């Protein structure tokens, strides 16, 4: 039996694949390589280059491998871009996921671990955000993920598809062999590190007039190794006959943009110039998780909650791979 990992050549998917393989799991990867990197995948792992919306390739994978479960990482994930280009977010994240699900259900694959997001909540009404918090996304990206959450719930009711939807807060950091390499890069920590490497002149702070102590937006940064651990635990939960669940994943703390920049200065020992820029459309002021349910239901136990450790791991990877996977 094998696990189908969509987006297994991407940032978070590649780390999950690394950990699944270390656990002795059989893995099959489907990745379009639009954003993923072939070099992020070990050549010994069965790899299909293709689109999650292409039913033919998914039928082929299900036909050629005994797929027991799917971890679905493939998605477009930029909050700001989704505000400008909602059509491609709904098409890629919702319509294509529906096609993927239909082939899986048709092929009797009944376990699904879904990469959802804190963006399904929108501007928080209370902090920290637990699973009962109202959902009112403020970006098409958040809506696209919320729509898939609803589809999964309906598929469980109708087709007995058991799923865990993991709502990541801000994924970051690196393992020894896998790190963050997006093109274009829009995420705060890699951009700060590019500034530290001299690859860009400065880092823009998107808004310093938020209702937070230092005026900059607060996020709950979570190390990808801890995210990956949650995926393995979600799979275990489903294998043990666990019910479908929506689970928030974060450290329950939260750091402002200024605090992240200060930590990066300390870790890298470099001066990092900042400039104040307008707020970015679709950005909530503060996103901090209540991850009690992840601990209780999945037995999740994050190892790298401190921002310094997260940045240290990312800095190590970027220093060893100054051009990313190229
Ligand atoms: N930011 C800056 N300057 C930059 C880049 C980012 O100030 O150059 C700020 C953003 O405005 C935000 C924070 O840094 O306040 C973090 O921004 P990221 O782009 O790193 O991450 P996001 O919070 O926008 O989004 C990430 C994922 C989403 C996910 C979200 C959930 O990319 O997929 O976390 O919290 F939905």
């Amino acid at each position: 039996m094998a696990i189908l990992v969509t987006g297994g050549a991407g940032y978070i998917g590649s780390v999950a694949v690394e950990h699944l393989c270390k656990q002795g799991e059989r893995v099959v990867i489907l990745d379009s390589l639009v954003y993923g990197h072939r070099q992020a995948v070990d050549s010994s792992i069965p790899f299909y280059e293709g689109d999650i919306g292409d039913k033919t390739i998914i039928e082929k994978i299900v036909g050629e491998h005994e797929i027991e479960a799917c971890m679905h990482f493939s998605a477009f994930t930029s909050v700001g871009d989704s505000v400008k280009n909602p059509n491609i977010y709904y098409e890629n994240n919702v319509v294509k996921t529906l096609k993927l699900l239909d082939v899986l259900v048709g092929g009797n694959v009944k376990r699904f671990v879904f990469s959802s997001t804190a963006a399904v909540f929108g501007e928080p009404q209370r902090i920290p955000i637990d699973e009962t918090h109202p959902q009112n996304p403020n970006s098409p990206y958040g809506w696209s993920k919320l729509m898939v959450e609803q589809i999964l719930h309906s598929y469980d009711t109708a087709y007995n598809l058991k799923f865990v939807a993991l709502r990541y807060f801000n994924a970051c950091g690196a393992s020894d062999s896998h790190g963050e390499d997006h093109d274009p890069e829009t995420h705060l920590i890699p951009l700060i590190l590019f500034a530290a490497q001299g690859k860009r002149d400065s880092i823009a702070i998107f808004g310093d007039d938020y209702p937070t102590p230092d005026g900059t937006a607060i996020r709950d940064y979570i190390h990808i190794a801890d995210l990956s651990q949650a995926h393995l635990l979600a799979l275990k939960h489903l294998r043990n006959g666990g019910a479908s669940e929506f689970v928030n994943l974060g450290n329950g703390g939260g750091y402002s943009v200024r605090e992240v920049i200060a930590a990066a200065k300390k870790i890298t020992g470099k001066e990092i110039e900042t400039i104040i820029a307008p707020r970015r459309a679709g950005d909530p002021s503060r996103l901090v998780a209540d991850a009690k349910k992840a601990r209780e239901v999945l037995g999740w136990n994050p190892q790298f909650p401190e921002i310094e450790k997260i940045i240290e791991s990312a800095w190590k990877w970027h220093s060893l791979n100054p051009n990313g996977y190229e």
Side-chain angles (χ1 to χ4, degrees), residues 4-8 28-34 48-59 61 70-76 88-104 112 114 145 148:
L4 170 60
V5 180
T6 73
V28 179
I29 295 175
L30 171 64
D31 198 300
S32 66
L33 298 182
V34 170
Y48 292 78
E49 182 176 343
D51 198 293
I52 53 162
D54 178 355
K55 286 190 168 184
T56 310
I57 198 166
I58 299 160
E59 278 163 358
I61 294 171
C70 175
M71 289 190 183
H72 179 37
F73 293 93
S74 270
F76 291 166
I88 63 170
Y89 279 75
Y90 290 122
E91 167 74 18
N92 192 69
N93 295 0
V94 184
V95 176
K96 291 183 179 180
T97 297
L98 203 52
K99 290 182 178 165
L100 167 72
L101 281 171
D102 284 342
V103 179
L104 293 178
F112 197 79
F114 175 57
K145 291 286 184 174
V148 175

Side-chain angles (χ1 to χ4, degrees), residues 202-209 214 216 258 274-279:
S202 60
I203 179 79
I205 296 176
F206 294 148
D208 66 348
D209 57 350
D214 69 15
T216 66
R258 283 194 200 281
T274 58
I275 51 171
I276 305 301
R279 290 184 183 192

